[in-house]
Amino acid sequence: MTRKATRLTVEGLFAGYGRIEVLHGLSLAVAAGELLAVVGANGAGKTTLLRVISGLLPARAGRVLLDGRAVTGIAAEKLASAGLTHVPENRLVFPGMSVADNLSLGAYSRRRGSGQAVEQDRRFVLDLFPRLAHRLAQPAGTLSGGEQQMLAIGRGLMARPKALLLDEPSLGLAPKLVSEIFAVLGSLRDQGDLATVVVEQNARAALRIADRAVVLDRGRVLLSGTPKALLTDPRVQAAYLGRGYTEVAP
Amino acid sequence: MTGPWPPTSRTVRDRGVIDFLQLTVAGLSAGSAYGLVAVGFVTIHSVTGIINLAQGEFAMVAAFVAIALLAAGLPLPIAALLAVLVVALGAAAVERVAIAPAAGSSVVAYIMLTLGVSITLKASALLIEGPQPSALPAFTPGILSFGGVLVRPQDLWILAATAVAALGLYGFLERTVTGKAFRACAEQPTAARLVGISPSRMSTLSFVLAGVVGAVAGVASSPVIQTDWNIGLFLGLKGFVAASLGGLASIPAAIAGGLLLGVVESLGAFYISSGLRDAIAFFVLIVVLVARPSGVFSTHAGVRAGVRAH
Ligand SMILES: Nc1ncnc2c1ncn2[C@@H]1O[C@H](COP(=O)(O)OP(=O)(O)OP(=O)(O)O)[C@@H](O)[C@H]1O
Ligand SMILES: [Mg+2]
């Protein structure tokens, strides 16, 4: 099996807020065409990890590499044009702006590039999420939760990322919508060039499509391996796949 | 122009109506200047969380610059446009020099910095121009009469300038990529950063926009209200009251608030007491503060984080 080049690498990452240290020397790597699931309990540091990778939060130590280039310390607004896209927790769509404007702002980092390529990607996103196509003029704040999640992902894709970070894309969605969204993530991965990191509380859904997964525990990687191995690991079963676990999300 | 404006027409039979209309037009004219200053408060506050206490001084400086350029021999339209440009650039410089380096400060510290800018501009004006007021000439001389209702052409100029500035701003924010990015940064700063919008650039842009609208207000109203070193205090205060009517968040509400305040002031000064003119703004402010205290001083944390992140 030929392994694809590593797209995103995190090495010995330390980060936190004020006096609290949340990540204690965390490392992971994702290849192009690979989907990595990051699971872990509330407060394990999953969101913090993504915030550090995308430059929203400074790392205290350690490195983040994108295609072998160190991007640690680069501000989020600059990293966006380097091919790293972060679809944040709680979607954070631009509520007062139309679906169309939200999508076109997703391509803001490409505003000096080809308008034709952006238009192509817009069509691609609307094909992925046909519901959005019917609501282009609607203010994003009036979309349903699921539609907002689709918009947030679509907006992220408009940047044409090389690495895509998703923070709890299933949060608050009905099971049917969850599978819809994960199917889209799987198909994006299958196109072969995108490295995807999906942070999920809904471990089952994430592990179903992931190539590899890591279990985060209090800011450290507790376990990592194939979904199959993790699903059968008694520690994972006890902690993350217990009965009722998937109902935890509001 | 001498004597109080508007001249009240006591000899006409239906003087009541005419007085009312003249007062209303004068109120709308003053009110559009307040409205433009108010828009400046909104643009800066919506992106940075800062209440810019130098907002009125932008208007004052623009008027003095226009007066100086006119005196230097430039035609009035050129002098007026250059004054707007100078203040727009000056506002950008204020943001870069006084605000941006303080990244990481509390909003109160930022507001104090703008107070410092305000005092500096006032003191400079006093030093350069002296205490006596001066004014631009009316853009077109004379008095217009609409069926007995006397209107200063300058009032129409102010209304027109306000309409042009407001529509220009609207077109910019609604139609251009940068304008949309500006709104995105105000609505959802974290997501804005994640799509590549720089909060520090948008912060600079917010000052430029505030400088432009403030300058238009200062230049257009100078022939009517006279410009002195301290006029920014009154314009700024009334602009702030107008902006607070819309919770410091809405541009149309800021303009409507300005117009409303101008008309109420003008009518109140005539029908109740002329000594009341400047007090009316304070009454309105108190009512707003009591009715929605959080609406006025609410600053969204994320926005501040955006500025801080530089
Ligand atoms: N802005 C902040 N200031 C202080 N502490 C924070 C901040 N954000 C997160 N934390 C703390 O950092 C720890 C990790 O938070 P994080 O949001 O990364 O967890 P998470 O794994 O994403 O949890 P969840 O599954 O609930 O989203 C928590 O203990 C949290 O209280
Ligand atoms: Mg989280």
Side-chain angles (χ1 to χ4, degrees):
Chain A
M1 182 173 136
T2 56
R3 269 195 67 90
K4 286 218 181 180
T6 307
R7 173 75 15 112
L8 184 70
T9 314
V10 171
E11 288 176 359
L13 212 56
F14 288 82
Y17 307 90
R19 280 199 207 152
I20 311 162
E21 188 176 278
V22 175
L23 303 181
H24 318 285
L26 198 149
S27 300
L28 50 81
V30 200
E34 187 180 40
L35 194 151
L36 176 76
V38 177
V39 299
N42 290 116
K46 306 181 296 294
T47 296
T48 304
L49 170 65
L50 295 196
R51 286 169 53 81
V52 176
I53 295 176
S54 67
L56 286 175
L57 186 72
R60 292 180 177 174
R63 298 201 302 167
V64 177
L65 304 170
L66 182 64
D67 282 334
R69 183 169 80 98
V71 294
T72 335
I74 298 182
E77 58 271 21
K78 299 214 172 94
L79 260 188
S81 52
L84 193 114
T85 293
H86 178 179
V87 178
E89 201 169 34
N90 300 320
R91 297 131 197 172
L92 308 189
V93 297
F94 303 118
M97 308 183 70
S98 68
V99 168
D101 281 348
N102 269 266
L103 288 178
S104 60
L105 281 169
Y108 183 79
S109 59
R110 303 161 67 194
R111 65 195 178 285
R112 295 199 183 85
S114 147
Q116 218 170 354
V118 171
E119 178 52 32
Q120 233 168 39
D121 290 348
R122 201 175 95 103
R123 253 182 261 132
F124 171 73
V125 166
L126 294 179
D127 281 346
L128 279 183
F129 301 116
R131 286 167 197 239
L132 296 181
H134 304 299
R135 299 188 149 69
L136 286 173
Q138 193 175 326
T142 64
L143 295 175
S144 77
E147 289 160 356
Q148 289 193 19
Q149 187 62 60
M150 294 174 186
L151 180 58
I153 297 173
R155 182 181 65 188
L157 293 174
M158 289 299 291
R160 186 169 282 208
K162 295 190 270 188
L164 180 63
L165 315 174
L166 299 129
D167 199 342
E168 309 227 21
S170 78
L171 191 72
L173 303 191
K176 183 166 170 296
L177 226 50
V178 175
S179 13
E180 221 175 283
I181 282 179
F182 276 92
V184 166
L185 297 181
S187 78
L188 287 171
R189 177 263 321 269
D190 293 340
Q191 298 186 351
D193 197 43
L194 184 67
T196 312
V197 178
V198 183
V199 157
E200 260 304 335
Q201 293 260 342
N202 191 336
R204 273 181 207 286
L207 292 177
R208 210 170 292 137
I209 60 157
D211 301 300
R212 275 188 315 117
V214 299
V215 178
L216 231 61
D217 182 49
R218 280 162 287 177
R220 289 189 176 83
V221 174
L222 180 69
L223 292 166
S224 76
T226 62
K228 211 169 176 185
L230 290 183
L231 280 167
T232 52
D233 188 298
R235 284 172 294 179
V236 176
Q237 285 184 331
Y240 305 108
L241 302 172
R243 218 162 55 84
Y245 182 79
T246 50
E247 277 85 13
V248 166
Chain B
M1 237 163 274
T2 53
W5 188 269
T8 42
S9 37
R10 312 226 165 255
T11 54
V12 189
R13 199 150 56 89
D14 46 2
R15 65 173 197 242
V17 175
I18 289 181
D19 283 350
F20 180 82
L21 290 175
Q22 285 180 173
L23 291 161
T24 302
V25 172
L28 288 174
S29 147
S32 34
Y34 305 158
L36 283 179
V37 174
V39 169
F41 278 107
V42 171
T43 60
I44 290 180
H45 182 264
S46 64
V47 162
T48 65
I50 298 172
I51 292 163
N52 171 30
L53 297 182
Q55 186 59 39
E57 277 65 45
F58 289 171
M60 178 272 288
V61 171
F64 273 132
V65 169
I67 291 167
L69 291 174
L70 189 70
L74 288 178
L76 181 58
I78 307 279
L81 286 178
L82 276 180
V84 173
L85 187 68
V86 165
V87 168
L89 294 177
V94 163
E95 196 274 344
R96 282 292 96 189
V97 172
I99 304 298
S105 312
S106 70
V107 162
V108 175
Y110 282 123
I111 295 173
M112 283 302 157
L113 283 170
T114 69
L115 180 62
V117 172
S118 159
I119 292 170
T120 308
L121 291 175
K122 276 204 261 198
S124 311
L126 185 57
L127 216 63
I128 297 168
E129 302 290 338
Q132 75 292 351
S134 45
L136 284 172
F139 296 4
T140 40
I143 300 282
L144 302 171
S145 171
F146 297 95
V149 180
L150 302 180
V151 172
R152 295 171 296 189
Q154 191 62 30
D155 288 332
L156 303 182
W157 276 109
I158 298 175
L159 285 167
T162 302
V164 168
L167 288 176
L169 185 61
Y170 178 83
F172 171 73
L173 293 176
E174 294 288 327
R175 297 267 178 268
T176 70
V177 176
T178 308
K180 286 176 184 178
F182 185 83
R183 283 160 59 211
C185 193
E187 281 194 3
Q188 187 43 264
T190 302
R193 292 188 64 196
L194 291 176
V195 299
I197 299 167
S198 155
S200 82
R201 279 207 198 166
M202 292 302 139
S203 169
T204 310
L205 177 59
S206 76
F207 274 75
V208 170
L209 296 176
V212 169
V213 288
V216 170
V219 170
S221 67
S222 174
V224 171
I225 62 170
Q226 313 272 306
T227 305
D228 68 11
W229 65 279
N230 203 29
I231 193 72
L233 175 64
F234 291 92
L235 280 176
L237 212 118
K238 289 170 185 181
F240 177 74
V241 172
S244 67
L245 286 171
L248 279 174
S250 157
I251 287 175
I255 292 182
L259 294 174
L260 183 72
L261 181 62
V263 171
V264 169
E265 241 182 39
S266 171
L267 297 178
F270 179 70
Y271 290 113
I272 306 173
S273 154
S274 62
L276 218 58
R277 180 177 287 274
D278 288 327
I280 285 171
F282 291 96
F283 284 130
V284 173
L285 181 60
I286 288 166
V287 170
V288 172
L289 283 173
V290 170
R292 42 175 306 173
S294 64
V296 178
F297 290 110
S298 76
T299 51
H300 21 143
V303 166
R304 276 182 270 147
V307 174
R308 221 177 270 166
H310 127 259

